[in-house]
Amino acid sequence: DNLIFVKNRNPQSLKVFDYNGIYVTDIGKKGNGPGEFTHFISFGIDEIKKIIVVFNAVPYKLLTFGYDGKFKESFPYNDGKYVNDIDFISDNKYIVMKSNASGSTDFSYHLYTNNHQLIAKRIKPINFTMKGSFGLSQAFSYYIFKNQFIVKENLLNDTVYFVSAMNSMIPKYVFDFGKLAFPLELQKNSLELTLKARESGRANVSELDEYIMPDGIFETNSYIIICYRLNQNFYWGYYNKQTKQSCTIVNQGINNDFDGGPPFHPIYQKNNLMVGFMHAYEFIDYINSSTFKTSTPKFPEKKK
């Protein structure tokens, strides 16, 4: 209820702050010794036991730490496929989301007890053969709403599931991207297309940009919100669950009409709380912009 955990890429570490932004401690560090990681991929928070679980690749293992940063124990992770993310979905179990970047993953979701015992494997992804691998940094979009853990695997899976109390994956929503849906054949050739774009001097432009790549899904009482990439732009789509109407806004997050501040770009949702971030220099630029200075928010005192 009062801590923020931030994964740091370089140097690899997990930093802890309080809600006032005051630094508390680091959890783990890069290295080969006890309580150290060589390739920090993802982490999950067990709020009941107040334990952090860190997934390390090469070698595959799970490390556990207390909120105070003290190392507790290490567990080998023998299913040698890349873990994209981990999250605790109840007081006694967590879910592991496994990337299918090379097309050979058996199941997308593995459910474990909080003592790291496998409960079940769920949802077979589309299997295919390709050279190398291709995946998004955010291969899974997931959120918690009304205490349900809801998840969607990106690109080749258009279904949003919630995890039931009986550990089943129940379809909740299906996205139809029509002719903009990412094709399987493009996934198979994605590495070659990326390399070809780099060789042409247009590393950021390729055929991959012509299709929708979902980047985040969220939900409120009234709306389903999806962020996605298309033709090198980010879009925010809003679907009204009551009227069944939708609209899309390019390159903006959720409009901030409370205090006139910058648009909100959520990256994580837990029930009625959404978390996002922006770089300090972007925030300063926005506050100095005419857009902010001329804005008339609902709560002018908050603008001050």
Side-chain angles (χ1 to χ4, degrees):
D1 291 334
N2 58 6
L3 294 176
I4 301 171
F5 297 83
V6 181
K7 177 186 173 186
N8 197 60
R9 291 183 179 178
N10 188 19
Q12 292 185 21
S13 67
L14 185 62
K15 296 188 176 296
V16 187
F17 300 86
D18 67 19
Y19 271 23
N20 293 315
I22 303 300
Y23 168 78
V24 177
T25 188
D26 268 29
I27 292 179
K29 63 180 180 179
K30 190 169 184 178
N32 293 304
E36 298 178 339
F37 30 73
T38 53
H39 197 30
F40 175 17
I41 302 298
S42 54
F43 71 97
I45 303 173
D46 183 345
E47 296 184 28
I48 302 300
K49 290 186 172 182
K50 291 183 167 46
I51 288 174
I52 306 299
V53 177
V54 171
F55 174 72
N56 180 81
V58 195
Y60 292 111
K61 61 181 178 180
L62 295 172
L63 306 170
T64 61
F65 300 85
Y67 281 8
D68 57 5
K70 292 182 180 179
F71 172 62
K72 290 185 174 294
E73 50 190 335
S74 175
F75 301 88
Y77 189 83
N78 297 320
D79 192 338
K81 288 292 181 182
Y82 192 89
V83 168
N84 190 272
D85 220 332
I86 299 172
D87 209 337
F88 281 80
I89 59 177
S90 73
D91 60 0
N92 61 3
K93 64 186 173 186
Y94 62 89
I95 188 168
V96 171
M97 292 159 267
K98 302 179 73 63
S99 171
N100 193 35
S102 61
S104 60
T105 298
D106 58 349
F107 289 87
S108 294
Y109 310 99
H110 290 194
L111 296 165
Y112 288 86
T113 69
N114 57 4
N115 292 319
H116 315 295
Q117 301 299 309
L118 179 66
I119 300 172
K121 298 181 180 182
R122 295 288 185 257
I123 309 298
K124 284 182 173 289
I126 295 174
N127 289 124
F128 51 87
T129 302
M130 65 176 291
K131 294 180 180 178
S133 64
F134 175 79
L136 296 179
S137 58
Q138 186 182 348
F140 291 83
S141 301
Y142 66 93
Y143 59 94
I144 298 168
F145 185 61
K146 294 183 177 179
N147 291 319
Q148 287 184 343
F149 186 88
I150 302 167
V151 64
K152 179 192 179 297
E153 183 185 357
N154 278 339
L155 291 182
L156 301 181
N157 179 356
D158 58 5
T159 306
V160 177
Y161 306 92
F162 76 86
V163 184
S164 74
M166 302 303 293
N167 304 316
S168 297
M169 307 291 289
I170 310 297
K172 185 176 178 70
Y173 303 117
V174 176
F175 285 92
D176 181 4
F177 296 125
K179 63 183 180 181
L180 295 178
F182 201 85
L184 175 59
E185 289 303 314
L186 202 60
Q187 169 88 31
K188 293 178 180 178
N189 299 318
S190 54
L191 185 61
E192 296 175 11
L193 290 169
T194 302
L195 294 174
K196 184 178 178 181
R198 289 177 182 172
E199 292 171 358
S200 67
R202 304 177 70 202
N204 296 323
V205 181
S206 76
E207 192 178 342
L208 306 178
D209 298 316
E210 298 174 10
Y211 299 92
I212 284 178
M213 292 188 181
D215 200 64
I217 300 173
F218 310 93
E219 185 172 357
T220 69
N221 289 325
S222 299
Y223 291 94
I224 301 167
I225 304 170
I226 180 170
C227 177
Y228 62 91
R229 286 188 286 164
L230 177 66
N231 293 324
Q232 297 191 302
N233 286 316
F234 277 97
Y235 294 83
W236 289 82
Y238 297 85
Y239 176 77
N240 188 310
K241 293 189 286 186
Q242 279 74 45
T243 67
K244 302 190 186 312
Q245 294 178 315
S246 60
C247 66
T248 300
I249 303 172
V250 64
N251 276 346
Q252 290 189 36
I254 299 172
N255 184 45
N256 183 349
D257 56 359
F258 288 97
D259 56 24
F264 179 54
H265 295 254
I267 58 172
Y268 181 78
Q269 177 183 354
K270 186 169 185 180
N271 294 319
N272 291 326
L273 174 70
M274 289 185 183
V275 179
F277 81 96
M278 71 183 307
H279 295 291
Y281 69 89
E282 293 175 333
F283 185 83
I284 293 170
D285 286 346
Y286 189 88
I287 297 304
N288 289 325
S289 70
S290 59
T291 301
F292 174 73
K293 292 177 180 178
T294 59
S295 65
T296 306
K298 292 181 178 178
F299 303 100
E301 68 276 12
K302 291 184 179 294
K303 180 177 178 178
K304 294 179 182 180

